[in-house]
Amino acid sequence: MSTIETRELNVYYGDEKVHALKNVEIKIEKNKVTALIGPSGCGKTTFLRSLNRLNELLGATTKGKVIIDGKDIYDGKEDVIQLRKRVGMVFQHPNPFPMSIYDNVAYGPRIHGVKKKELNGLVEESLRKAALWDEVKDRMQEIALKFSGGQQQRLCIARALAVNPEIILFDEPCSALDPVSTAKIEALLRELKHEYTIVIVTHNMQQAARVSDFTAFFLMGELIEFGETKELFERPRDKRTEDYITGRFG
Amino acid sequence: MGVLERVRIFKFWKMGESIKERLIEKLLFLLSLSSILIVFFIIVFMLKEGLPAFALGGEFFFGMTWHPATNQFGILILVLCTFIVGIGALVLATIIGIPTAVFLAEFSPEWLRNIIKPCVEMLVGIPSVVIGFFGLMVLVIFIRDTFGGWGESILAGWIILAIMTLPHVISISEDAIRAVPKAYKEASLALGATHLQTVTRVILPNARSGILASLILGMGNAVGETMAVLMVIGNPEIPFIPESVLEPVRVLTSTIVIEAAYMIWGSTHQHALIALGVVLFVIVALLNAITTVMIRKGMVK
């Protein structure tokens, strides 16, 4: 069962001078991890950001359809606030707000009007899911920027979980982290997919192979190949995919 | 060694590059010292000349009456009125300036920003005497006809000073708002916050120190501003505590300008005016120092 489907998705930057995504058609399955790989500038991050309409911040023009749970999010009727509640995001560099751990996690729920007495439970639950609770439970009022990069990134995951999304987008979440922190996040991804649909951009092909169920290979704004991760890495159908994953370019 | 050769040795152009470099460096250093010297001389002069007035002690600092004709030099009311005018102007500038800065940094479309921004900057370029003259001809008359009184009043001072403070408040606050990392904004929006929620809950709290700095700097400008204020606040002969914003007042700067014209050299009056200058200088320097510290702190964070 697919939860995200794109049809003839085209994204342009800067008055349509840059054609960043070209006719991308893909079906992303529920409760799976889908990895987006490809060389820098291939459009994978643009694709990811088109799923929660964060591209609009950068002045992108989007044509085509992105259907999430049966509704086109670009049909002009979709409420972008509700969309971003359903589609959470974790960024490349950990970006907790310069406030306490507690306030970081509570930020989303507060904005969406969650009642004060439910807040404590929600914060704890989110931190537990992000495998951070044991490390921070006695330090809830400390400012988030004091923690390590890996902890900050898990805090960002907890913050995203706290608004109760269905889909979580990860934009190279481990690129700024050390190997131990990376391993923790990867373990977390495998855990989270039971409850959430996960789309992750990664530069690291081993990471894609380790954590994902499906992999999409992008090149110059086009979706070259999409399939089960094992299949794509062992028997790529396209010559360009093969060249990329065997390290001949990129 | 012939004379000609000797001359050539001292020719600058023939010098080795490293010597030339060092000489120029020394020259630059000496020139840069001049600003230190100027500040030093001004301070020493003012302290020395103001000393007889400071020696009056409490009579000078806490005296309620400033009346040179009867040798009374109490500055309390002048200082009080200076702050009344300065703070009121600042409040006005805040009410208009901060929302403008937020709009320019966060909401304005590019084309509109390209119109507003140069207008705000042009405001800085208008000579204060021109603004003061405008105030006298338009604002003062408007206030007189609408609210009564003399027209030359605290209210006129507030408005004129707010106009002059506004550009500083706007541009520094806008810079502070723009300096908030984009990553915070993206994180907030990605959580489903609206743009306005993002501004009030994430961006403004993070720009806080810069915005506060802009206000304190604005306060410094307002307190030190002379010409425009002088022209619209009335400057009563004997300063008194105003009971309404429509009454005229007298501030530190305008007192110095007006009375310097007729003071008698070597009199206590002259020393007292210089001492007023010292007080003014200390207030403005203090406000500027606070701003500098705050901006630097904001940058580090």
Side-chain angles (χ1 to χ4, degrees), chain A residues 6-22:
Chain A
T6 68
R7 287 189 204 144
E8 292 180 17
L9 179 64
N10 285 279
V11 177
Y12 308 84
Y13 287 117
D15 295 333
E16 312 207 352
K17 281 193 200 97
V18 182
H19 198 171
L21 278 184
K22 298 166 188 165

Side-chain angles (χ1 to χ4, degrees), chain A residues 137-201:
Chain A
K137 64 183 172 199
D138 302 319
R139 307 172 65 185
M140 296 296 272
Q141 295 309 323
E142 287 181 40
I143 190 144
L145 305 181
K146 287 201 322 209
F147 291 79
S148 75
Q151 287 172 321
Q152 288 187 17
Q153 195 61 302
R154 276 178 286 147
L155 176 64
C156 291
I157 295 173
R159 184 176 65 184
L161 295 176
V163 294
N164 203 14
E166 297 155 28
I167 300 162
I168 308 174
L169 312 174
F170 289 84
D171 187 1
E172 297 189 45
C174 303
S175 67
L177 304 182
D178 62 89
V180 176
S181 302
T182 299
K184 279 185 186 163
I185 303 260
E186 287 182 8
L188 192 55
L189 289 174
R190 280 187 286 265
E191 199 59 44
L192 289 173
K193 75 174 181 184
H194 300 299
E195 279 184 69
Y196 307 92
T197 303
I198 289 171
V199 185
I200 174 172
V201 165

Side-chain angles (χ1 to χ4, degrees), chain B residues 36-84:
Chain B
I36 302 179
L37 284 178
I38 292 169
V39 170
F40 181 74
F41 276 129
I42 290 179
I43 292 177
V44 167
F45 166 80
M46 297 219 306
L47 286 179
K48 185 174 154 283
E49 290 296 307
L51 206 57
F54 288 127
L56 296 173
E59 199 189 317
F60 175 74
F61 288 106
F62 304 111
M64 298 286 279
T65 321
W66 176 272
H67 195 220
T70 57
N71 262 337
Q72 284 177 285
F73 301 105
I75 65 166
L76 196 61
I77 289 183
L78 294 176
V79 173
L80 186 73
C81 288
T82 300
F83 275 102
I84 289 175

Side-chain angles (χ1 to χ4, degrees), chain A residues 15-105:
Chain A
D15 295 333
E16 312 207 352
K17 281 193 200 97
V18 182
H19 198 171
L21 278 184
K22 298 166 188 165
N23 286 321
V24 174
E25 307 221 341
I26 197 170
K27 286 180 178 171
I28 292 171
E29 300 224 1
K30 201 177 168 85
N31 291 59
K32 300 283 183 211
V33 177
T34 301
L36 313 177
I37 61 169
S40 298
C42 69
K44 54 194 192 303
T45 295
T46 298
F47 176 78
L48 193 75
R49 285 170 163 255
S50 72
L51 301 181
N52 65 349
R53 288 179 49 185
L54 215 55
N55 269 340
E56 291 168 14
L57 264 191
L58 310 170
T61 314
T62 308
K63 289 177 178 163
K65 289 181 175 170
V66 175
I67 299 159
I68 294 180
D69 292 335
K71 270 171 65 190
D72 179 12
I73 63 170
Y74 284 99
D75 67 357
K77 288 177 228 145
E78 176 76 22
D79 177 2
V80 69
I81 303 303
Q82 291 307 315
L83 168 71
R84 289 179 186 154
K85 240 176 107 173
R86 295 211 318 268
V87 185
M89 188 161 189
V90 175
F91 296 82
Q92 184 171 3
H93 294 279
N95 58 353
F97 301 124
M99 359 169 145
S100 70
I101 295 278
Y102 186 93
D103 288 341
N104 260 285
V105 183

Side-chain angles (χ1 to χ4, degrees), chain B residues 17-212:
Chain B
E17 280 303 317
S18 70
I19 302 174
K20 222 197 285 184
E21 196 108 328
R22 251 188 284 162
L23 265 177
I24 291 179
E25 261 176 42
K26 287 264 156 37
L27 190 68
L28 294 178
F29 168 70
L30 284 176
L31 287 174
S32 68
L33 275 187
S34 63
S35 57
I36 302 179
L37 284 178
I38 292 169
V39 170
F40 181 74
F41 276 129
I42 290 179
I43 292 177
V44 167
F45 166 80
M46 297 219 306
L47 286 179
K48 185 174 154 283
E49 290 296 307
L51 206 57
F54 288 127
L56 296 173
E59 199 189 317
F60 175 74
F61 288 106
F62 304 111
M64 298 286 279
T65 321
W66 176 272
H67 195 220
T70 57
N71 262 337
Q72 284 177 285
F73 301 105
I75 65 166
L76 196 61
I77 289 183
L78 294 176
V79 173
L80 186 73
C81 288
T82 300
F83 275 102
I84 289 175
V85 173
I87 289 172
L90 194 63
V91 169
L92 268 183
T94 307
I95 292 171
I96 304 170
I98 306 296
T100 306
V102 169
F103 178 74
L104 286 176
E106 283 296 324
F107 294 99
S108 170
E110 197 62 28
W111 64 268
L112 189 56
R113 190 174 178 272
N114 288 339
I115 297 172
I116 298 177
K117 194 87 178 145
C119 288
V120 170
E121 276 155 17
M122 218 186 282
L123 222 46
V124 186
I126 303 178
S128 71
V129 66
V130 174
I131 294 187
F133 207 43
F134 162 83
L136 188 62
M137 311 262 295
V138 180
L139 191 63
V140 164
I141 295 193
F142 173 79
I143 290 173
R144 187 172 62 202
D145 293 349
T146 317
F147 304 109
W150 285 96
E152 292 177 332
S153 58
I154 295 178
L155 183 62
W158 283 354
I159 295 172
I160 287 298
L161 270 184
I163 292 173
M164 301 186 69
T165 313
L166 208 49
H168 305 287
V169 171
I170 291 175
S171 65
I172 298 177
S173 299
E174 193 199 345
D175 287 347
I177 292 168
R178 281 182 186 277
V180 175
K182 283 276 167 290
Y184 295 159
K185 183 177 174 181
E186 285 192 334
S188 172
L189 291 175
L191 287 166
T194 63
H195 195 170
L196 194 62
Q197 285 170 327
T198 303
V199 168
T200 55
R201 294 177 188 227
V202 176
I203 295 177
L204 283 182
N206 275 288
R208 196 177 39 205
S209 66
I211 291 173
L212 220 57

